[in-house]
Amino acid sequence: ARIGLLRVHCILGDYHGGLQAMEPLDLHNKQGLYTKVTLCHISTSYYTGFCYLMMRRYLDAVRVFNSGLSFIARIKQYHSRSSGYDQILQKMEQMYALLALAVALCPAGTKSLEENVHTSLREKHAEKIQRMTRSELSVFDELFTYACPKFITPSLPDYSNSGANTSSEAYKLQLK
């Protein structure tokens, strides 16, 4: 339930509330209850890291993404035939994109990466990280668009203005 609450806070754009929802859980405990279900563990890493990233706590985001990605690297071979394997791979790719954003914004974060995560990050996004360090905003937009959750607006749409398309307002606000 707490991880579901984290996700709701995250897609609403309430990152502080999302992290508060996770306070009772010890995210450093490798034997925690949330670690028993693979997709739950991955979702926890993804949404917690995203909250840290959006709150500009880049080193914390790097630490959480590193932990989640090293977990995926360890378990990926055991889930290759499971029904959730595609979801695992998609979240992994999204976390690498978010990790690239965090590393570009805070290069000191690379010091805390595990070797396998650092190697994979270089293979996947080295060129994009270099372009982001040169302040190419289009790369930031591209990676954020690919890796962000699907945001929602917490208010009702204006039904009197039927021509207005408000479906992307929440996304544009978070991108900004």
Side-chain angles (χ1 to χ4, degrees):
R2 292 218 172 259
I3 296 160
L5 187 58
L6 166 67
R7 181 173 182 256
V8 168
H9 281 290
C10 199
I11 63 177
L12 288 172
D14 179 16
Y15 308 113
H16 183 70
L19 292 176
Q20 279 183 326
M22 297 304 288
E23 278 181 4
L25 296 180
D26 182 11
L27 297 178
H28 304 294
N29 181 6
K30 301 294 185 199
Q31 301 301 317
L33 184 60
Y34 74 95
T35 63
K36 305 297 184 217
V37 178
T38 302
L39 289 175
C40 182
H41 190 172
I42 294 169
S43 292
T44 302
S45 297
Y46 172 79
Y47 286 107
T48 303
F50 189 79
C51 285
Y52 282 134
L53 181 71
M54 294 301 284
M55 292 177 65
R56 298 181 182 173
R57 293 174 58 180
Y58 304 121
L59 290 176
D60 290 328
V62 167
R63 181 180 43 81
V64 170
F65 289 136
N66 180 58
S67 173
L69 289 167
S70 61
F71 170 75
I72 292 172
R74 283 192 312 270
I75 60 95
K76 189 168 60 169
Q77 64 191 15
Y78 302 114
H79 292 277
S80 61
R81 293 187 180 165
S82 71
S83 60
Y85 187 66
D86 291 339
Q87 284 181 298
I88 291 170
L89 293 181
Q90 181 180 6
K91 283 296 175 207
M92 180 184 73
E93 293 301 323
Q94 288 175 321
M95 280 197 276
Y96 271 117
L98 292 173
L99 180 60
L101 287 171
V103 165
L105 293 167
C106 182
T110 57
K111 294 175 186 170
S112 63
L113 293 177
E114 291 183 17
E115 186 60 36
N116 64 335
V117 173
H118 193 249
T119 302
S120 294
L121 179 65
R122 278 195 313 252
E123 289 172 2
K124 294 175 187 296
H125 298 292
E127 183 259 331
K128 290 181 182 179
I129 291 172
Q130 288 176 351
R131 289 175 54 200
M132 286 186 287
T133 56
R134 292 191 305 258
S135 301
E136 290 186 32
L137 294 179
S138 63
V139 181
F140 284 100
D141 290 352
E142 175 188 336
L143 287 177
F144 184 81
T145 301
Y146 171 72
C148 72
K150 304 301 178 228
F151 299 107
I152 59 173
T153 306
S155 60
L156 292 173
D158 181 15
Y159 292 113
S160 63
N161 186 2
S162 62
N165 182 5
T166 61
S167 63
S168 63
E169 284 180 18
Y171 161 75
K172 288 177 184 175
L173 179 66
Q174 298 306 313
L175 178 63
K176 184 178 173 189

